[in-house]
């Protein structure tokens, strides 16, 4: 097991919203980063998102270093073998257990035996993902929040066989990226989504049942509970497809109290996924 002081290169699997965000914060913290995805256009899109994010942060005087210097530490690739150089790897692929197990089986082959393997899953079992490898003790959950460069928190999720040294490393590594951590056992939804998904779905039901209009539901929760976003705003921000997938996973594992709201299903079926498509519970300028 490598110590934090041994980490020079961070591998990231996935160049989507979460993957490119993780790559960005790792590079901002001074690490060399290899960000891998399966198609060149995904890699280029991820690198473009990083460029845009760094420019915004620099414009708001939130960077201590020139954006170009940070960006130069990030290598984009479609070559799985490029991850052999990594001292720690964080997977941020699609939220599908079969996909993640396949990724971890590959990582087990291409990385050194003393490299910690982390998954950014928000709901799936760390233990099930780890069982695709021959070193389950090295596998842990590092659940970053979206948007990664802005949000302060990282959820450290401990699998059935995760070694104590890997847990300690995960906390230290996340904190070195400028994040604060909390720890959860490997139970469905962990802390964040176990509490958050029912809250969002109940807000959607309240809207669908005419308890209040969408603005007053969100305003009421902001003013009444001091959250920064109401449930409908937050669902749009997360992505209604992501909310639905997480809710369905929790529903299957924990029963009807996690049943997704009908209106979430309907909007996903219509392709209205929130901010990323320009329309969800609210309308947005498409990104």
């Amino acid at each position: 097991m490598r110590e934090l002081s041994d980490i020079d290169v961070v591998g990231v699997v996935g160049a989507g919203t979460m993957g490119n965000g993780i790559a960005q914060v790792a590079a901002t913290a001074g690490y060399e980063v290899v960000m891998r995805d399966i198609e060149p256009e995904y890699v280029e899109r991820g690198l473009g998102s990083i460029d845009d994010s760094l420019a915004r942060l620099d414009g708001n005087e939130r960077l201590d270093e020139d954006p170009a210097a940070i960006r130069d530490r990030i290598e984009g690739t479609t070559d799985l073998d490029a991850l052999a150089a990594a001292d720690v790897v964080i997977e941020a692929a699609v939220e599908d257990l079969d996909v993640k197990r396949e990724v971890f089986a590959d990582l087990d082959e291409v990385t050194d035996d003393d490299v910690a393997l982390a998954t950014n899953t928000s709901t799936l079992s760390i233990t099930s993902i780890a069982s695709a490898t021959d070193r389950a003790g090295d596998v842990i959950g590092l659940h970053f929040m979206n948007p990664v460069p802005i949000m302060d928190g990282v959820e450290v999720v401990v699998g059935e066989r995760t070694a104590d040294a890997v847990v300690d490393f995960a906390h230290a590594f996340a904190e070195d990226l400028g994040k604060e951590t909390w720890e959860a056992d490997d139970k469905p939804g962990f802390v964040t989504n176990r509490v958050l998904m029912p809250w969002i779905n109940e807000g959607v039901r309240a809207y669908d049942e005419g308890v209040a209009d969408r603005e007053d539901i969100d305003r009421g929760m902001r003013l009444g509970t001091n959250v920064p976003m109401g449930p409908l705003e937050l669902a749009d921000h997360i992505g209604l497809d992501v909310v639905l997938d997480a809710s369905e996973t929790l529903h299957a594992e924990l029963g009807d109290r996690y049943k997704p709201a009908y209106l979430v299903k309907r909007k996903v079926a219509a392709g209205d996924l929130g901010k990323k498509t320009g329309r969800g519970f609210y309308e947005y300028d498409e990104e």
Side-chain angles (χ1 to χ4, degrees):
M1 174 65 214
R2 298 186 187 182
E3 301 292 333
L4 183 62
S5 58
D6 299 325
I7 307 302
D8 296 312
V9 180
V10 176
V12 178
V13 178
T17 300
M18 298 305 295
N20 69 60
I22 294 166
Q24 179 181 323
V25 298
T28 301
Y31 294 103
E32 298 293 324
V33 178
V34 178
M35 182 178 71
R36 187 255 180 180
D37 213 318
I38 57 175
E39 297 290 345
E41 57 264 38
Y42 300 162
V43 175
E44 290 306 312
R45 192 181 307 152
L47 293 172
S49 295
I50 291 170
D51 289 337
D52 292 343
S53 176
L54 289 172
R56 285 194 300 272
L57 292 171
D58 187 51
N60 294 327
E61 299 183 347
R62 297 186 62 174
L63 293 178
D64 295 329
E65 190 177 7
D66 183 76
I70 297 171
R71 175 63 180 80
D72 284 347
R73 289 196 284 269
I74 304 172
E75 173 193 348
T77 183
T78 58
D79 182 8
L80 180 70
D81 289 338
L83 294 169
D87 300 303
V88 59
V89 179
I90 306 166
E91 169 273 320
V94 63
E95 190 75 349
D96 179 282
L97 182 59
D98 290 338
V99 171
K100 290 184 185 294
R101 285 174 52 82
E102 183 177 349
V103 167
F104 272 75
D106 289 340
L107 291 175
D108 194 14
E109 292 293 325
V110 302
T111 59
D112 291 342
D113 290 343
D114 59 348
V115 170
L117 305 177
T119 173
N120 185 59
T121 183
S122 59
T123 57
L124 299 174
S125 168
I126 309 303
T127 303
S128 295
I129 294 169
S131 68
T133 76
D134 290 328
R135 44 176 160 144
D138 294 331
V139 178
I140 193 160
L142 272 179
H143 178 206
F144 289 78
M145 305 295 120
N146 183 32
V148 180
I150 303 299
M151 297 293 283
D152 291 332
V154 173
E155 190 167 40
V156 176
V157 188
V158 183
E160 179 69 20
R161 291 192 174 183
T162 306
D164 290 345
V166 175
V167 177
D168 292 342
F169 168 80
H171 282 285
F173 176 67
E175 289 163 7
D176 197 53
L177 300 184
K179 306 300 184 183
E180 295 185 40
T181 60
W182 63 96
E183 191 171 310
D185 193 15
D186 186 17
K187 293 183 171 65
F190 321 133
V191 172
T192 309
N193 279 331
R194 189 182 182 106
V195 176
L196 183 61
M197 289 303 131
W199 183 79
I200 288 176
N201 279 293
E202 197 56 35
V204 173
R205 291 188 187 96
Y207 170 52
D208 199 21
E209 294 168 11
V211 173
D213 63 27
R214 61 187 182 180
E215 290 84 1
D216 277 343
I217 287 172
D218 284 335
R219 185 180 300 114
M221 293 310 297
R222 289 197 309 270
L223 296 176
T225 66
N226 205 31
V227 293
M229 290 187 192
L232 306 182
E233 296 171 291
L234 184 55
D236 276 359
H237 181 79
I238 293 171
L240 300 189
D241 54 335
V242 177
V243 170
L244 180 59
D245 285 347
S247 299
E248 287 179 335
T249 298
L250 292 168
H251 183 215
E253 293 285 347
L254 299 172
D256 282 348
R257 59 189 167 140
Y258 288 93
K259 185 176 181 179
Y262 167 72
L263 189 54
V264 172
K265 293 182 179 180
R266 193 173 78 186
K267 286 190 172 293
V268 171
D272 296 339
L273 307 183
K275 289 187 72 174
K276 61 187 172 184
T277 60
R279 180 192 298 267
F281 290 105
Y282 298 88
E283 293 186 4
Y284 308 87
D285 294 330
E286 290 195 47
E287 298 180 353

